[in-house]
Amino acid sequence: DAGVIQSPRHEVTEMGQEVTLRCKPISGHNSLFWYRQTMMRGLELLIYFNNNVPIDDSGMPEDRFSAKMPNASFSTLKIQPSEPRDSAVYFCASSLAGSVSNQPQHFGDGTRLSIL
Amino acid sequence: AQSVAQPEDQVNVAEGNPLTVKCTYSVSGNPYLFWYVQYPNRGLQFLLKYITGDNLVKGSYGFEAEFNKSQTSFHLKKPSALVSDSALYFCAVRALSNDYKLSFGAGTTVTVRA
């Protein structure tokens, strides 16, 4: 079975440019998460979608960050304009979730983003 | 509030020796507990989980973990470590009352020397 698929795997761009990260969750999963991983702050939850609806975006750093999930098989995380401090590895994860679910989250291999 | 502590940044063991990675947690009510492993340039891979029942949980690649409610711990163990077990390990907790949000520890780097 295909896991969570993220693209691109690596992105290098200049400060001020728009960056779009993409994620295809595991088929049948109804929850999707975007995380950011840095050495200083570890793993941070940015946003959580359930059934394509954003439920918790309290982790989104600021208005430069936005995320969408137009359908059950696709999500994007956009940074506009990008800044050097946005450099990190961004992970997408999906799961079967709900109030009685104990299913683990399944992670993609991430996008390594470098803003020059 | 919920949180996880992994007191050791690094664990070094010789191949064939037992491996233990420590984790303690704080949560209101009963916890769901998870261990994940991350290899270089890869995402986190699920190893095992504790939900309820037997305190000793068995997972992938020969790993197991023991839930200890009185000590609020969930240590990861492997009886005989392999060089290929060298990776970054994360413990995570979620309260039963919480639908989705995992709190991750800072991670422990395991190095197994041949």
Side-chain angles (χ1 to χ4, degrees), chain A residues 37-56:
Chain A
Q37 185 179 38
T38 61
M39 291 292 292
M40 292 295 295
R41 301 172 69 94
L43 270 166
E44 303 173 273
L45 176 64
L46 300 178
I47 189 167
Y48 161 59
F49 291 88
N50 184 256
N51 293 322
N52 312 338
V53 176
I55 303 299
D56 180 359

Side-chain angles (χ1 to χ4, degrees), chain A residues 9 37 56 101 105 108-109, chain B residues 36 38 41-43 94 100:
Chain A
R9 289 295 317 277
Q37 185 179 38
D56 180 359
S101 172
Q105 296 177 19
D109 282 336
Chain B
Y36 287 85
Q38 184 180 26
N41 300 315
R42 300 297 302 275
R94 175 163 77 82
Y100 61 91

Side-chain angles (χ1 to χ4, degrees), chain A residues 9-10 31 33 35 37 42-43 45 48 55-56 58 89 91 97-110 112, chain B residues 32 34 36 38 40-46 48-52 88 90 94 96-106:
Chain A
R9 289 295 317 277
H10 303 273
S31 290
F33 308 81
Y35 289 90
Q37 185 179 38
L43 270 166
L45 176 64
Y48 161 59
I55 303 299
D56 180 359
S58 60
V89 181
F91 288 105
S99 60
V100 294
S101 172
N102 55 33
Q103 297 303 308
Q105 296 177 19
H106 297 267
F107 286 73
D109 282 336
R112 183 172 297 274
Chain B
Y32 288 159
F34 302 83
Y36 287 85
Q38 184 180 26
N41 300 315
R42 300 297 302 275
L44 279 68
Q45 295 179 31
F46 168 70
L48 51 78
K49 65 182 179 184
Y50 171 82
I51 304 302
T52 187
L88 181 58
F90 290 96
R94 175 163 77 82
L96 261 63
S97 58
N98 174 348
D99 277 359
Y100 61 91
K101 193 164 189 175
L102 280 179
S103 294
F104 288 89

